[in-house]
Amino acid sequence: RNIAEQRFNPDQLSQEKNNSCGINSEAREDSGTGQKPITVARRLTDPREDPGITRKAPPGDRIPMSHGQRRLWLTDGLSRHPAAYNLLRLIRMDEGVPCDLLRQVLSRLAERHGVLRTRLFAEDGGLFQSVCAPSESEPVLREVEMPAADLPAFLAHERDRVFDLSTAPLWRGCLVRTEDGTWLSLVFHHIVIDERSLEVFLSDFGE
């Protein structure tokens, strides 16, 4: 079927699967700082959250990080758990869905939402963000097959793989095929997305 016809409940499914895997799809509290992740993606898209943000800067332009981004950048660097700000979402897909088709869909979403092509870096004594051109920040999507029994450990490993914040994209996907079904695993760094923004992403994905 066409992807637009896929039926899934990502909230319910991810919670059920994550409970069985011992995985929390919410960003975890950092035990080193005692702070929870900040709603940074909202500051990237809503000027009312941080009036200093330029939302339509040309690709490649260097823009100062918002206050929220700077806070998260610093806490991420000081965290004793480097992947503490990674968000995992698991979506059940139809059997036989082509990986190349999913890659095209994710690429179009990245073209539509500049935050999915954003990188953050330190330079010249300051902290900056930059939106990469679509051709310079292709979504990472791979395809694997495994026994269903191996899925929990695989998802935990995917969630805990560290992002380099200076290199876009700060999210990745994996199409996992098991005898129990086909799953799309998506992992985002919280600095580019929060739960509200994630629902927008999933809504666009399902169109």
Side-chain angles (χ1 to χ4, degrees):
R1 292 184 301 173
N2 186 289
I3 286 183
E5 298 171 348
Q6 301 290 342
R7 292 185 178 181
F8 55 83
N9 184 333
D11 289 323
Q12 180 180 356
L13 178 60
S14 63
Q15 189 61 50
E16 291 174 356
K17 202 68 180 179
N18 291 348
N19 286 343
S20 67
C21 299
I23 293 173
N24 182 357
S25 63
E26 302 286 343
R28 291 163 287 167
E29 182 175 292
D30 180 73
S31 59
T33 64
Q35 297 180 356
K36 291 187 177 180
I38 312 156
T39 307
V40 177
R42 187 171 301 134
R43 293 184 173 88
L44 282 171
T45 57
D46 190 343
R48 293 172 299 178
E49 296 288 344
D50 192 327
I53 290 182
T54 302
R55 295 199 294 163
K56 295 186 178 180
D61 273 20
R62 193 175 74 169
I63 308 166
M65 288 187 198
S66 70
H67 297 302
Q69 286 175 312
R70 287 195 292 270
R71 289 170 55 197
L72 187 50
W73 169 278
L74 293 173
T75 55
D76 181 85
L78 295 173
S79 174
R80 285 181 278 178
H81 302 285
Y85 293 99
N86 288 359
L87 294 168
L88 169 70
R89 183 56 62 93
L90 191 63
I91 303 169
R92 185 157 198 159
M93 307 299 299
D94 275 355
E95 300 293 330
V97 59
C99 188
D100 287 343
L101 182 57
L102 280 178
R103 186 174 288 109
Q104 292 175 24
V105 171
L106 294 175
S107 293
R108 286 197 291 268
L109 288 174
E111 290 179 11
R112 184 183 303 176
H113 302 289
V115 70
L116 298 177
R117 295 179 278 113
T118 297
R119 68 187 189 97
L120 300 102
F121 54 96
E123 190 173 83
D124 299 331
L127 297 177
F128 302 94
Q129 60 177 305
S130 178
V131 178
C132 300
S135 60
E136 299 174 347
S137 181
E138 287 292 326
V140 176
L141 178 66
R142 58 196 183 102
E143 182 178 12
V144 299
E145 293 187 16
M146 67 182 64
D150 293 343
L151 185 59
F154 175 80
L155 293 175
H157 175 73
E158 281 294 287
R159 178 203 60 197
D160 291 340
R161 286 170 52 205
V162 178
F163 286 102
D164 176 1
L165 297 185
S166 66
T167 303
L170 296 178
W171 61 291
R172 56 178 174 261
C174 186
L175 184 63
V176 186
R177 302 188 191 275
T178 76
E179 71 273 20
D180 288 345
T182 300
W183 307 87
L184 176 61
S185 164
L186 295 170
V187 181
F188 303 82
H189 194 285
H190 195 63
I191 205 166
V192 297
I193 206 162
D194 59 13
E195 286 299 322
R196 187 179 73 172
S197 303
L198 186 53
E199 293 309 314
V200 173
F201 175 93
L202 291 172
S203 176
D204 286 354
F205 176 78
E207 289 180 355

